[in-house]
Structure formats: structure tokens, C-alpha cells
Amino acid sequence: MALERTFSIIKPDATRRNLTGKVNALLEAGGLRIVAQKRILLSRAQAETFYGVHKERPFFNDLVKFMTSGPIVAQVLEGENAVARNREIMGATNPANAAEGTIRKTFAESIEANSAHGSDSAENAAIEIAFFFSGLEIVG
Ligand code: ATP
Ligand code: MG
């Protein structure tokens, strides 16, 4: 498979505990290259738009509150099969179900405060990358 890009977020629970470097080390050890990265504080409107697919879910308001509770690190990752590879490196949404050595098993505090986001398809990766980055900010 050709090189692919995916979108990633290091979530506020991880930035709060100063884990950006440790999360990045797992991404890089897993074969992904960080080709864009910035630390930002999401507004409520931005978080609602980003997680809009979940707006009918009971956890939506709490999720938006959590995602705006501190800085996030938004990233573009590049590598072979990057979308699926990043989901493997992150592990299951609920850290209790995540495999050993994954970001969520190693660092997540809860199903909500689960340290990382990764796009779930190439199509959503393109939408999410364009939401956070201009082409000039991505250097492969
Ligand atoms: P992400 O989209 O952040 O990569 P995911 O694709 O593994 O995670 P989703 O089902 O898309 O999981 O849920 C988005 C986020 O919403 C989760 O990562 C988590 O932070 C939060 N979340 C999901 N399910 C629950 C739940 N049952 N209770 C609280 N928060 C939840
Ligand atoms: Mg998701």
C-alpha cells in the first residue's frame, strides 16, 4: 500500500500529565512519521464541530467539555496504511479493552479521557486534516 496520512490528537488528559513526548515515541516506534504538529486550545464550537458525528450521544456534552479542558496536540501522521496503523497503536476506545503496549492501555485514564484520537477512515482523515492544517503546515 502507498503512503497514507491520518489525523491524530493527543488529548487534554495526556498534555496535562506532560505525556506528549511519550505518546509521540509510541507513534514513531509504530512506524508513523509526524509530518505536522501544533499545540492548541479548542473552542467549544470547534470541539462540537470536530465531534459532530456524536452530537446525539449521551456523552457528547461531557466529551466537548473534556476536549476543551486543556491543550491538545493536533497532528498529521504519515506512513504505510497510516489510518489503520494509528488505530492499532492507539488501542481500543475503552482502555480496559485496549491491548498491552498501546497508547490507551499505557496512558488513558478512562473511556472518555483516553489520551488519543485517530481518524477512523481515509475519508475522515482528509476532512479532519483540512479542519486543522493548511497544506503549507504539512511537511512530509
Ligand atoms: P476517537 O474518535 O477519539 O479517536 P474512537 O474512534 O475510538 O475515539 P468514538 O466512538 O469515535 O471512539 O468516540 C469518540 C470519543 O468519545 C472517544 O475517544 C472518547 O473520548 C469518547 N467516548 C466514546 N464512548 C464514550 C462513552 N461511552 N462514555 C464517555 N466517553 C466516550
Ligand atoms: Mg472516532
Side-chain angles (χ1 to χ4, degrees):
M1 184 167 186
L3 274 189
E4 187 176 67
R5 286 179 175 172
T6 191
F7 178 72
S8 163
I9 291 177
I10 302 176
K11 293 185 178 181
D13 66 288
T15 62
R16 189 179 300 122
R17 287 174 289 149
N18 206 23
L19 294 171
T20 298
K22 286 186 171 151
V23 171
N24 282 348
L26 289 182
L27 295 171
E28 291 177 345
L32 297 175
R33 182 175 293 270
I34 301 162
V35 296
Q37 176 168 259
K38 59 186 168 193
R39 181 174 166 105
I40 53 179
L41 191 58
L42 284 179
S43 69
R44 185 176 175 86
Q46 287 166 338
E48 285 175 350
T49 301
F50 180 72
Y51 275 127
V53 63
H54 294 309
K55 63 177 179 293
E56 306 303 333
R57 307 282 283 278
F59 58 79
F60 181 69
N61 279 333
D62 278 351
L63 177 59
V64 168
K65 206 178 293 173
F66 164 61
M67 290 299 289
T68 57
S69 69
I72 64 159
V73 179
Q75 304 174 311
V76 181
L77 307 178
E78 186 177 85
E80 291 289 318
N81 216 4
V83 171
R85 185 77 197 104
N86 185 41
R87 302 280 297 187
E88 279 172 21
I89 297 167
M90 285 196 304
T93 309
N94 185 345
N97 302 329
E100 283 302 326
T102 60
I103 290 169
R104 285 164 166 173
K105 180 69 171 188
T106 309
F107 299 122
E109 296 180 318
S110 67
I111 189 170
E112 176 183 81
N114 61 3
S115 302
H117 160 81
S119 307
D120 58 13
S121 67
E123 187 190 0
N124 283 336
I127 292 168
E128 292 172 359
I129 289 169
F131 185 69
F132 282 92
F133 291 97
S134 78
L136 280 175
E137 294 174 309
I138 305 168
V139 183

